[in-house]
Structures are given as structure tokens and as C-alpha cells.
Amino acid sequence: MNTSSTPLPGGTWTLGDSTVTRFGYGAMQLAGPWVMGPPADRDGALAVLREAVSLGITHIDTSDAYGPRITNELIRDALHPYPESLFIATKVGATRDAQGGWPTARRPADLRKQVHENLESLGVEALDLVNMRMGDAQGSQPGSITEAFETLVDLQREGLIRHLGVSNVTPEQVAEARGIAPIVCVQNMYNLAHRHDDDLVDRLATDGIAYVPFFPLGGFTPLQSEALSKVASRLEATPMSVALAWLLQRSPNILLIPGTSSTAHLRENVAGAGLSLSDEDMAELDSIGH
């Protein structure tokens, strides 16, 4: 339930048969360092999740590979039984090794195992959305998505998945997946400084498909730009607030999932994303990634 008196920035978007807030929450940072092991402050992590829901956020992004299992179990412990309005997206296609790496795991048996692990750790009978993660830790890689994606389509037919998406993919893989079954979103790395998907964002918007940028603030290398700093200074805002607001104003199909392990930072992100950027601001910021 939204106990906040102010609406979230960006309004809403429809994913399949569900309406979600465009401002969502990414749970990856709730795990320990390098997304391995439990958080140092478990109660704090649970508080962040409950605060997200109390602010009115209805879109939470996670994966059973985070921890592994840690973030899904935190989500379940904090929020189950889930509000009817809550939409939880997860992803499959990679596991974790003892060194904290992300080895790919995309054989049909691997994917079935990961889907069942997500169902168990989240405590649900069907997953709202499963993104088929391709590529590797370095980013998207060319190659066919068909065998892996068809496995998720089979699981959707079995009633274990409600909606399908793709992640860390090339435009060719997006087209290949869409030729097999409908998708509701694409989740790729995209932010002010990494604009390689500009054309894809616009094509998906035309087709009513969401684009969900991961690392919206640069990920492990925070965004730094003279133009960004200049606009932020002019607006008396932080550069990160400007970067989030730019994404929401960039295209109506962009859904934000910034992550944090702090309730104060979560509230700052929400407030920052609501910043109103002028045409002049947007034009100045657009020059960063080009």
C-alpha cells in the first residue's frame, strides 16, 4: 500500500496485464560485498524493502543469483504475503561460483532449475516476470537466444512464469526472442554515458515494450561528466538526481530500478528522479553520450 502522500515520479507503465510504477527498486545491493553473502545489516535491508513498498513502489527487480538466494529470501521475509499490486521481476541465465563470478548457465536443465529456485526462495507459485539473461559479465554477446528462450516459453505454458523479458542482449537477440513469443521488457545497461541502445529504446517504445536500464547511475563506475555536473549545479541538485530524472524524461517506456541498501538514499533517489529538466537541460545532457 502506498502510504506516501506524493505520487512517484514518472507515473506508471503496463507490463503485460500489470500496471507498475516507472520508478522501481533493484534489490541487488541488498546482498553482501560483490553481491555475495548476507548483508552486514539484515534489519536495515528488510527496512529498505518495506520502505520501497510504503513509498508506493510496485516494481522490484531481483535474481536468485544475488547472494546467491540472499535477496530473494530478504524480499520474502520483508514483504510476504505480497501486496496484490507488487510485481517482482527476476532473471535466469547465470549462476555464481565460489570466487563471486557469474558463469553462464543457459542449458534447458539449468534454466528449469533456476526458475524453480526463484519460485522457492520468493515463496510464490508463479513468477511475475523472468528475464532471459544473455551475454556475460562484460556485456551482451552475439549468439542465438532461441534454445534458452524457448525453455522459458515452455515454463510459461506450464504456468510457472507470467511474463517474459530479455536481458543483456543485442538488438538481434531481441528480434529473435520476439519472433518466438511476446516479451514485455528489455533489461540492458544504459545511462547518460552509455547510449548504445538509443535506437532500441525508441523502437521498443513504439511497440509498447518497456526498457529497463541496469546500472542507471553507472554501476561500479559512477557517472562523471562536466556537462552533468554543470546541469546539476544550475538546478541545485545532485548529479545522480539529474541522471535519474534524465532517464525518466528520455522515453516513457523507461522503467527505473536504482538500488540502494539505505532507506535515506532510497528516499533521495525518489525525490531526485522527480526533478523537472528543461529542453535546454535535456539537450545539454544528450551531448554526454554522443
Side-chain angles (χ1 to χ4, degrees), residues 227-240 242 275 285:
L228 177 59
S229 298
K230 183 179 175 183
V231 172
S233 177
R234 186 167 66 231
L235 297 175
E236 298 181 345
T238 67
M240 297 304 99
V242 173
L275 195 66
L285 294 167

Side-chain angles (χ1 to χ4, degrees), residues 153-207:
V153 173
D154 288 342
L155 289 161
Q156 184 182 44
R157 291 193 188 108
E158 293 168 24
L160 301 181
I161 299 172
R162 292 177 54 225
H163 302 98
L164 299 173
V166 291
S167 176
N168 208 24
V169 285
T170 65
E172 292 75 21
Q173 289 163 342
V174 173
E176 188 180 352
R178 292 183 66 188
I180 298 168
I183 63 171
V184 299
C185 71
V186 173
Q187 187 179 111
N188 277 358
M189 181 175 178
Y190 182 79
N191 54 50
L192 261 173
H194 295 86
R195 303 280 298 280
H196 52 283
D197 269 357
D198 270 341
D199 290 343
L200 180 60
V201 171
D202 295 337
R203 287 201 303 274
L204 293 173
T206 300
D207 293 341

Side-chain angles (χ1 to χ4, degrees), residues 116-139:
H116 281 281
E117 287 171 345
N118 275 281
L119 289 165
E120 180 185 348
S121 57
L122 287 169
V124 294
E125 294 183 356
L127 299 166
D128 291 330
L129 166 64
V130 176
N131 285 305
M132 182 62 244
R133 181 187 186 274
M134 298 297 287
D136 57 24
Q138 277 67 55

Side-chain angles (χ1 to χ4, degrees), residues 62-83:
T62 186
S63 171
D64 207 53
Y66 298 163
R69 295 185 73 88
I70 298 295
T71 63
N72 279 7
E73 291 175 350
L74 288 168
I75 290 168
R76 185 190 64 208
D77 291 348
L79 302 175
H80 196 280
Y82 302 117

